[in-house]
């Protein structure tokens, strides 16, 4: 039986005899000498095994009178498991359930005008050719069987080419995830323990906020201005605290749409290096500029491997396949895949479809086409918003991404507006979701990419009408 | 700004001034009175905000001489993040990487004869009609967008009907997961903390062992005999320890193929109730009997909601879609979905395909057809094994499930046999994976469902030849 020590075997045999009742409670154990002879092992082995049993409280040694099987503790009558008492994940319940709330919208009412979900729009689905690739994948047997933990090798090769960064030169530096949210979940679990702190822009993506607070991670907020994250504030934080990592959406930030300037990108990397704090760069919106391309990702200037890069097909294409990826130094990717292994791997079918789509070069034309739609959709939504400016709303015209981040007129409650609009058939996210504290925040986020022009027109008309009504009421 | 207390706002303003350098290190803070006037708040508010800043070490109060911005701690020169030092998940590295090892087989060599993976076989894929449903799902826009955290409502409704248990009467008692492995991962995270103990059969499914050890959970093993788990031994364990849950595969157990008898099912439930310990019932192989149907699941006799039921389409059909489910009392399912929320949801496309397949009643005919294949495949593999009996191998003919669990002849090392066979083009799992300690165990597990008859014949011939050679060598 190889390397297994003999005393372990003796220990196990004795334990089973006790647990199974073969050695009943209170019964005396044979003397060490006799046990050694019976089991054909040395007396030392017996002593060691008995020592372990004693340490576990299974037997009790009475000086001079040998050893006995220990009596059982009294049994309470329980019957029903109390799950609230059982579960070991306290922070989970105390954090708000925004993700579930938003995701249920489409299932609850398929006809709702949806400005809430951030995804590639309905208009571009048909022209994306993704469906063709999924159907082709459906014909292949490999789609129905297991693939590697890190993901389909062909997809990882394509992703290396797609990213086109010197820093990510091998498929072994990529781990495919079930959306970038699973990626962030795994990284947070790997890099931080409950009670640890991380730094992130504020406001930020509600999915990340909910994730951090649910895992009991403290969030140190950094404000944004026109050039993105205030790295001067970040420096003050890093000089005084030791966050586990910096989570940032530097390009077309969600929800503000802002992009970190070139000089601040350099500064942010320098800070990461100076203080040895990793950066988790969420680059989901990179290719979704409306007019001008975004500056290069932080990862591209990362000299020391401190940046972990996250991206997802949920924004490049559509979120239903749940496929994203993490890229980084081999060391961190190997750690990530050890964790990924615990839930096996991401669905093979979607990976096969996307690998083929990338290999055919079909993603770039889709994005070029999608951007044309998004420009029009953003313009249309903006024309409606513009007509509300005189009511006191404020917003910036986004340079990319999926959203308008809108400050409401004085005295208008975002949640109330959202509830009224939902009842009237339009759904969107309210500002409190994107902020640390569960207080009313006078912001809303509208996604302009999901719905086609007709629905944008109809939805914005409902929103305008509802806002005007609310203003009348609160006057 | 709603319920947010005023001092928090003052605190945040002061903090940003310090972090951003507007109030440089060592600079004096204005007196409380002056600050209160400047910010138009009460002096009490100022005192409270300054108190928080002081507690965080951002300012220092010198008696009689006012407050100053605290000096920064010295900055070490770090540059490169040390990931080994950073990562917070120690137990992950110390556990073996069996899952990754086995999963990579098909990607590394698509032509290998695969007795390693446990899944619905290649022979039944074409006749399963699953491909048709996936292609139909690929045509539907909903497949590419978000669905609910708990899973597509239509699929959950179908699953309630499929399970047909009084105990699971509502779709709200079901949470769709990315395979049952994700289900077990979530349940373990919810119910146990590192250092806690759980109980399970030994040997058992390597994926569960790896999961538990990677999460730092202690495993208390219970042996099996012809009637499945030794519940008498379990009783001894429960009387003396407080495991967080009992993980069991009571029906066509992996790898032994054994099924818990009716009387022991009653006893197991009674023990769960007596000691208030939850049961996690992994029922993946239920419908995969070769001749006689399995006894009802534990969940069906669960009077108190103590049983959490796990199942997966990976075994009913094929694993590539990564879709399984958890069913249980509303309370535990709500907790599970809070955790599921953190990684958003399972892919919509696969859920839509499977919901349609169930609604059409196409799963039962597939299973009936698959079982016919599996009977033949098991028989063929057994005929090869039978011819090796005289060499000293031992095994039982399984009544269901996917595997033969084979004890090797004296002196033959399972890992060595596996390596030799793999080099010769045949792959399978070696026994050590299914046991708690990383020692050589003279067992191998062969899956008879994955490969068609020709490949079984070819693979078993290679295995026989390799075994004979090894026996010659070790003689």
């Amino acid at each position: 039986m190889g390397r297994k020590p003999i005393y372990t075997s003796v220990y196990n045999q004795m334990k089973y005899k006790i647990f199974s009742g073969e050695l009943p409670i209170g019964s005396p154990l044979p003397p060490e000498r006799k046990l050694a002879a019976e089991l054909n092992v040395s007396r030392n082995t017996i002593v060691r095994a008995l020592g372990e049993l004693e340490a576990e409280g299974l037997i009790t040694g009475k000086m001079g009178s040998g050893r006995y099987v220990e009596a059982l503790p009294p049994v309470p009558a329980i019957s029903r498991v109390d799950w609230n008492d059982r579960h070991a994940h306290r922070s989970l319940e105390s954090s708000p359930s925004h993700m579930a709330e938003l995701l249920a919208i489409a299932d609850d009412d398929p006809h709702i005008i949806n400005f809430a979900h951030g995804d590639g729009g309905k208009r571009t689905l048909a022209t994306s050719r993704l469906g063709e690739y999924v159907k082709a994948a459906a014909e292949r047997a490999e789609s129905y069987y297991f693939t590697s933990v890190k993901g389909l090798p062909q997809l990882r090769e394509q992703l290396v080419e797609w990213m086109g960064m010197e820093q990510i030169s091998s498929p072994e530096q990529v781990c495919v995830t079930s959306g970038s949210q699973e990626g962030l979940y795994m990284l947070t679990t790997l890099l931080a323990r409950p009670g640890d702190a991380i730094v992130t822009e504020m406001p930020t993506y509600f999915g990340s906020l909910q994730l951090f607070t649910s895992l009991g991670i403290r969030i140190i907020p950094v404000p944004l201005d026109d050039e993105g994250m205030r790295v001067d504030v970040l420096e003050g934080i890093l000089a005084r605290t030791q966050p586990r990592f910096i989570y940032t959406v530097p390009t077309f930030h969600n929800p503000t749409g802002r992009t970190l300037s070139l000089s601040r990108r350099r500064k942010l990397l320098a800070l990461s290096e100076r203080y040895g704090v990793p950066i988790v760069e969420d680059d989901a919106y990179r290719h979704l500029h409306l007019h001008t391309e975004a500056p290069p990702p932080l990862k591209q200037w990362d000299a020391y491997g401190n940046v972990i890069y996250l991206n997802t097909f949920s924004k490049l294409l559509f979120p239903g396949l749940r496929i994203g990826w993490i890229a980084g130094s081999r060391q961190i990717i190997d750690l990530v895949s050890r964790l990924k292994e615990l839930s096996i791997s991401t669905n093979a079918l979607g990976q096969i479809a996307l690998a083929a789509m990338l290999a055919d070069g079909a993603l770039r034309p889709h994005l070029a086409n999608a951007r044309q739609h998004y420009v029009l959709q953003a313009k249309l939504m903006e024309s409606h918003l513009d007509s509300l400016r005189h009511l006191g709303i404020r917003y910036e015209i986004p340079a990319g991404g999926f959203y308008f981040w809108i400050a409401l007129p004085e005295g208008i409650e975002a949640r109330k507006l959202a509830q009224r609009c939902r009842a009237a058939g339009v759904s969107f996210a309210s500002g409190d979701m994107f902020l640390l504290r569960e207080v009313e925040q006078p912001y809303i986020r509208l996604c302009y990419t999901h719905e086609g022009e007709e629905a944008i027109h109809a939805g914005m008309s409902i929103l305008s009408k509802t806002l005007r009504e609310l203003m009348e009421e609160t006057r």
Side-chain angles (χ1 to χ4, degrees), chain A:
Chain A
M1 299 287 270
R3 308 186 310 263
K4 188 167 160 182
I6 304 166
Y7 88 89
T8 309
S9 163
V10 173
Y11 160 83
N12 280 331
Q13 286 178 57
M14 300 290 296
K15 195 165 165 179
Y16 286 142
K17 281 184 185 178
I18 295 169
F19 282 175
S20 63
E22 195 181 310
L23 283 172
I25 292 161
S27 66
L29 262 55
E32 288 166 13
R33 207 180 307 259
K34 202 173 158 194
L35 274 172
E38 253 178 37
L39 299 167
N40 195 24
V41 295
S42 76
R43 199 164 153 187
N44 261 351
T45 301
I46 295 291
V47 169
R48 197 158 165 206
L50 293 179
E52 296 237 342
L53 292 169
E54 203 163 342
E56 285 188 39
L58 293 173
I59 60 174
T60 178
K62 287 182 189 150
M63 274 298 178
S65 63
R67 290 190 177 81
Y68 290 81
V69 177
E70 181 66 284
L72 295 179
V75 179
I78 294 179
S79 298
R80 193 184 297 273
V81 171
D82 181 347
W83 297 110
N84 279 335
D85 184 54
R86 274 272 144 183
H87 91 91
H89 215 305
R90 293 281 153 221
S91 46
L92 204 58
E93 284 169 304
S94 56
S95 62
S97 192
H98 296 316
M99 184 67 77
E101 192 187 319
L102 276 200
L103 290 192
I105 287 171
D107 286 335
D108 288 353
D109 178 4
H111 302 297
I112 200 148
I113 296 174
N114 186 348
F115 299 149
H117 295 178
D119 54 40
K122 288 177 185 170
R123 283 288 157 98
T124 55
L125 178 60
T127 56
S128 73
R129 299 183 55 204
L130 176 60
E132 293 168 38
Y133 289 99
V134 172
K135 274 184 274 179
E139 303 271 8
R140 292 181 54 184
E142 304 93 302
S143 293
Y144 300 98
Y145 291 98
F146 286 116
T147 185
S148 296
V149 168
K150 277 185 179 174
L152 186 80
Q154 295 89 314
L155 178 59
R156 286 183 283 134
E157 280 162 28
Q158 289 297 330
L159 286 173
V160 169
E161 210 182 303
W162 174 258
M163 288 181 281
M165 292 189 274
E166 265 175 36
Q167 285 76 359
I168 309 291
S169 57
S170 149
E172 294 305 304
Q173 288 181 263
V174 178
C175 181
V176 176
T177 59
S178 300
S180 58
Q181 178 83 11
E182 191 205 32
L184 187 59
Y185 181 41
M186 290 198 292
L187 287 173
T188 307
T189 308
L190 269 177
L191 296 176
R193 288 194 187 84
D196 283 347
I198 63 95
V199 181
T200 190
E201 292 109 348
M202 193 66 51
T204 193
Y205 167 49
F206 63 87
S208 68
L209 282 182
Q210 184 176 337
L211 172 65
F212 298 138
T213 55
S214 294
L215 295 176
I217 310 295
R218 287 183 303 123
I219 298 166
I220 306 176
V222 186
L224 301 101
D225 63 16
D226 294 354
E227 288 186 62
M229 186 196 276
R230 287 273 305 271
V231 287
D232 54 339
V233 174
L234 177 69
E235 180 158 23
I237 292 169
L238 296 183
R240 289 175 176 86
T241 62
Q242 296 190 302
R244 300 298 297 173
F245 60 86
I246 301 156
Y247 169 71
T248 177
V249 184
T251 303
F252 308 129
H253 173 261
N254 176 10
T256 66
R258 285 174 182 160
T259 292
L260 196 68
S261 65
L262 283 173
S263 61
R264 285 201 187 165
R265 282 172 194 248
R266 300 274 188 201
K267 185 74 193 291
L268 178 53
L269 283 164
L271 287 175
S272 157
E273 289 157 19
R274 183 162 180 212
Y275 294 96
V277 177
I279 296 172
V280 176
E281 177 180 26
D282 186 340
D283 205 27
Y285 300 98
R286 153 149 316 278
H287 298 278
L288 301 158
H289 53 277
L290 292 180
H291 304 286
T292 316
E293 279 190 27
L298 294 165
K299 184 71 203 168
Q300 193 167 314
W301 290 340
D302 174 25
Y304 295 98
N306 291 3
V307 179
I308 308 173
Y309 182 87
L310 277 182
N311 211 329
T312 176
F313 287 102
S314 297
K315 308 298 176 191
L316 289 167
L317 285 156
F318 311 96
L321 296 178
R322 311 294 324 120
I323 297 183
W325 72 96
I326 304 180
S329 69
R330 180 71 196 259
Q331 207 188 4
I332 186 71
I333 294 302
D334 285 349
L335 283 168
V336 165
S337 37
R338 288 308 308 270
L339 192 57
K340 177 71 184 170
E341 204 172 337
L342 305 190
S343 51
I344 298 192
S345 60
T346 293
N347 76 88
L349 181 97
Q351 294 192 65
I352 287 173
L354 290 168
M357 187 166 179
L358 283 169
D360 275 5
L363 184 54
R364 265 180 225 290
H366 158 73
L367 286 168
N369 174 63
R371 280 191 295 262
Q372 288 186 339
H373 280 281
Y374 299 161
V375 167
L376 295 178
Q377 287 162 241
K379 204 172 238 170
L380 179 61
M381 191 173 271
E382 207 275 316
S383 72
H384 281 271
L385 289 170
D386 191 46
S387 72
L388 297 172
R389 272 190 197 272
H390 72 278
L391 296 178
I393 71 163
R394 286 170 296 117
Y395 59 90
E396 290 161 30
I397 298 173
F402 284 168
Y403 316 103
F404 280 92
W405 178 242
I406 299 157
L408 296 176
E410 190 74 35
I412 296 298
E413 288 174 27
R415 282 262 157 188
K416 201 167 184 180
L417 179 64
Q419 279 155 14
R420 288 270 186 106
C421 284
R422 175 129 191 220
V426 181
S427 166
F428 51 81
S430 64
D432 54 315
M433 296 187 180
F434 302 85
L435 287 137
L436 201 50
R437 289 191 178 76
E438 275 297 277
V439 291
E440 184 64 35
Q441 297 287 349
Y443 293 94
I444 59 173
R445 188 194 74 172
L446 301 182
C447 171
Y448 56 83
T449 56
H450 181 80
E451 296 289 357
E453 289 168 36
E454 224 166 290
I456 291 177
H457 186 74
M460 291 305 292
S461 302
I462 293 172
L463 175 62
S464 303
K465 187 164 166 279
T466 313
L467 179 62
R468 281 176 216 273
E469 283 169 10
L470 256 183
M471 290 190 74
E472 283 296 321
E473 288 172 31
T474 52
R475 191 164 290 168

